[in-house]
Amino acid sequence: MNLTVRNHLLRQSGVITRSQALGAGLTSRQIDRLLHDQEWVRVHPGIYRLTSVPPSPEGGVRAAALWLGDTAVLNEHGAAWWWEMTPDAPTIWTFTREATASKLEPRGDIRIARAYIDSVDRTRLRGVSVVSRPLAVLRTAIMLEAALPGSGITLIDRAKQKRWVCQDDLEHSFRRNKGTRGSRAMRRLLDRTGDRAHSELERMAVRLLRAAGITGFTLNHKTRLSSGRPVELDIAFKDRRFVIELDGYAYHSNPDAHRADLRRANELMADGWIVRRFTYADLLNDPDGFIRCVLEVLGA
């Protein structure tokens, strides 16, 4: 195998295009012989994989991207995985092409969407055209949230915590894609993870408590710790010295905020308060568990 062909295969996870092979000096007959001898296997039209290289998610992405060409952009969960923001590769790879591009039929695990993507929301990463990090987060969060409420919110929170994106990045990307498929779901997720998240989280907790017949609590109870520090407690059962703390994005936003919140919790417990913390995902995915925990503390 000549050096140029070898370099293509090494760089592209064992995948090569017919045009690359021809450009490297192989003839059509030599390519056909490699296929006949099963040294190469055809993955897509004009796209081959070295048989000794086992199929892999990365190889699958590269093969699809080479087949679809640079006008196709890796999107949704596959894009988040390519950005290394999710641990598991999806079962379906979604690529988006311009509506004016020639039509190609989806193949196997490849889904082809036709839509406009702003140039700001596309980039090239490790040789593959992919949507930007903010758009990958939003598109993937929509899918995750639909499958398991709270999981999309968790992805957005983690992306902010890891500083992969900030709220402004997400808001700008949303505005560029407003009116496209899923944009309403994007808006709801942004509201639940942005500046308005905490108030909505409180409303959800109050609805669950009242539906369970639990009363005797005060919202945003202001008190002063023995250290002299004034604090505002999310939901306080003052007579029982029990506080429910609700962790929206601010809790996860950065290490300093996290340390400050731990100090606050420690001071509350030192003053005799029982502290229980809950996240958006807790209330969405396990409301019965939330109520059960509250009742256990109240001794009901």
Side-chain angles (χ1 to χ4, degrees), residues 15-189:
V15 175
I16 191 168
T17 70
R18 187 175 186 88
S19 61
Q20 287 173 339
L22 292 171
L26 294 187
T27 66
S28 294
R29 180 172 294 181
Q30 287 173 314
I31 294 173
D32 291 342
R33 172 55 64 180
L34 288 166
L35 292 168
H36 179 270
D37 293 344
Q38 297 185 354
E39 292 186 43
W40 288 4
V41 60
R42 183 179 284 103
V43 184
H44 301 297
I47 309 296
Y48 314 116
R49 188 187 78 246
L50 194 63
T51 307
S52 60
V53 176
S56 67
E58 181 168 351
V61 169
R62 292 193 182 279
L66 288 168
W67 171 53
L68 294 169
D70 289 338
T71 59
V73 185
L74 182 61
N75 205 340
E76 298 183 358
H77 195 170
W81 182 81
W82 197 250
W83 278 107
E84 299 180 340
M85 295 188 293
T86 57
D88 300 319
T91 55
I92 299 293
W93 303 100
T94 298
F95 285 82
T96 301
R97 305 181 81 214
E98 298 285 353
T100 56
S102 59
K103 189 173 181 180
L104 290 173
E105 294 299 324
R107 292 173 56 87
D109 60 355
I110 301 172
R111 175 178 171 269
I112 303 171
R114 295 166 68 83
Y116 171 77
I117 296 180
D118 193 287
S119 60
V120 179
D121 281 315
R122 63 170 72 200
T123 188
R124 198 161 182 83
L125 178 66
R126 302 197 306 279
V128 172
S129 293
V130 61
V131 296
S132 65
R133 263 185 172 166
L135 188 55
V137 169
L138 289 174
R139 289 291 182 198
T140 307
I142 291 171
M143 298 175 63
L144 294 175
E145 194 70 17
L148 179 63
S151 56
I153 290 168
T154 298
L155 173 62
I156 292 176
D157 278 355
R158 186 168 70 249
K160 291 176 180 177
Q161 180 189 13
K162 297 286 188 179
R163 302 190 180 182
W164 295 330
V165 298
C166 66
Q167 187 70 17
D168 283 347
D169 294 333
L170 297 174
E171 290 285 354
H172 292 321
S173 186
F174 165 74
R175 292 189 193 106
R176 287 190 295 271
N177 291 273
K178 191 174 182 180
T180 62
R181 178 182 58 83
S183 62
R184 289 185 180 179
M186 282 186 202
R187 182 68 269 166
R188 288 194 295 271
L189 287 174

Side-chain angles (χ1 to χ4, degrees), residues 156-157 160-161 165 167 193-194 197 247-254:
I156 292 176
D157 278 355
K160 291 176 180 177
Q161 180 189 13
V165 298
Q167 187 70 17
T193 54
D247 297 336
Y249 163 61
Y251 173 71
H252 302 282
S253 59
N254 59 66

